[in-house]
């Protein structure tokens, strides 16, 4: 890959975030290549050094994370991690698909809001996270999967996230009692 092609890939990543391309596509150095589970496409993601400060993002021309409604967005991302990260001791990418209902159950448990307000906040946050590449949202199928950006989290981040998952409610146990406590009431 020549310098012009490399510069073009970096410009695309800076402007639009992770790029979804054909598996046979060439890619420049400094990009992480994530293969979709069905091997029909790969995601190219800029690799940022672990522990990099915001100034490094500025140098690379990559946007820092800035979102509307950061609390709801963070809670929805946590709910999606809980539902989509099938084996927390293993790799986060590509994760497993989860239904909107599963994610909603965890989100509602975290926020304790009425159903209408919770639904509105959930969908808005899913769309924001999908637009930024943190999630992959299939609106017609009402399923969500972890996006390519989660693969860039370093070992310190993953350790903290594993600890977070340990305390988050599981969609499978919500409304069914806690089997460890012998509470099997609906």
């Amino acid at each position: 890959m020549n310098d012009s092609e490399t510069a073009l890939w970096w410009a695309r990543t800076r402007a639009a975030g992770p790029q979804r391309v054909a598996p046979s596509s060439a890619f420049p150095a400094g990009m992480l290549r994530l293969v979709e589970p069905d091997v029909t496409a790969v995601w190219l993601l800029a690799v940022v050094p672990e522990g990099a400060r915001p100034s490094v993002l500025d140098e690379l021309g990559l946007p820092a994370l800035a979102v509307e409604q950061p609390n709801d967005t963070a809670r929805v991302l946590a709910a999606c991690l809980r539902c989509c990260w099938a084996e927390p001791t293993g790799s986060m990418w590509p994760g497993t698909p989860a239904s909107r209902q599963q994610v909603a159950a965890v989100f509602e448990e975290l926020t304790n809001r009425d159903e209408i307000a919770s639904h509105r906040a959930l969908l808005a946050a899913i769309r924001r996270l999908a637009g930024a590449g943190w999630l992959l949202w299939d609106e017609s199928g009402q399923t969500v999967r972890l996006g390519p950006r989660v693969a860039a989290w370093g070992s310190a981040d993953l350790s903290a996230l594993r600890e977070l998952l340990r305390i988050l409610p599981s969609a499978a146990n919500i409304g069914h009692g806690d089997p460890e406590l012998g509470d099997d009431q609906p």
Side-chain angles (χ1 to χ4, degrees), residues 16-18 45 65-67 126-135 148-149:
L45 181 70
L65 182 62
V67 296
I126 285 175
R127 288 181 178 134
R128 282 191 297 274
L129 290 164
W134 294 102
L135 299 176
R149 283 190 187 243

Side-chain angles (χ1 to χ4, degrees), residues 32-139:
L32 181 61
R33 188 174 181 266
L34 304 168
V35 181
E36 283 283 351
D38 60 4
V39 195
T40 58
V42 297
W43 289 91
L44 298 180
L45 181 70
V47 176
V48 178
E50 190 168 331
R53 304 227 181 245
S55 61
V56 173
L57 294 174
D58 288 340
E59 282 181 36
L60 294 173
L62 298 171
L65 182 62
V67 296
E68 297 174 32
Q69 303 295 325
N71 293 337
D72 281 343
T73 303
R75 288 181 187 111
V76 168
L77 182 56
C80 290
L81 286 171
R82 182 66 169 119
C83 295
C84 298
W85 193 3
E87 183 51 52
T89 59
S91 176
M92 188 181 291
W93 172 264
T96 58
S99 71
R100 184 193 56 78
Q101 292 84 3
Q102 289 172 307
V103 174
V106 174
F107 181 68
E108 288 169 7
E109 188 75 14
L110 292 173
T111 60
N112 203 16
R113 293 184 187 153
D114 68 69
E115 189 176 335
I116 293 172
S118 182
H119 176 74
R120 186 176 19 245
L122 175 76
L123 284 180
I126 285 175
R127 288 181 178 134
R128 282 191 297 274
L129 290 164
W134 294 102
L135 299 176
L136 299 175
W137 170 234
D138 176 8
E139 193 155 359

Side-chain angles (χ1 to χ4, degrees), residues 1-7 9 25-29:
M1 181 163 283
N2 64 37
D3 289 343
S4 297
E5 292 170 328
T6 299
W9 275 113
S25 297
F27 63 98

Side-chain angles (χ1 to χ4, degrees), residues 50-51 85 92 150 152-163:
E50 190 168 331
W85 193 3
M92 188 181 291
V150 302
W153 279 327
S155 58
D157 298 320
L158 293 177
S159 178
L161 290 169
R162 286 182 178 106
E163 188 61 25

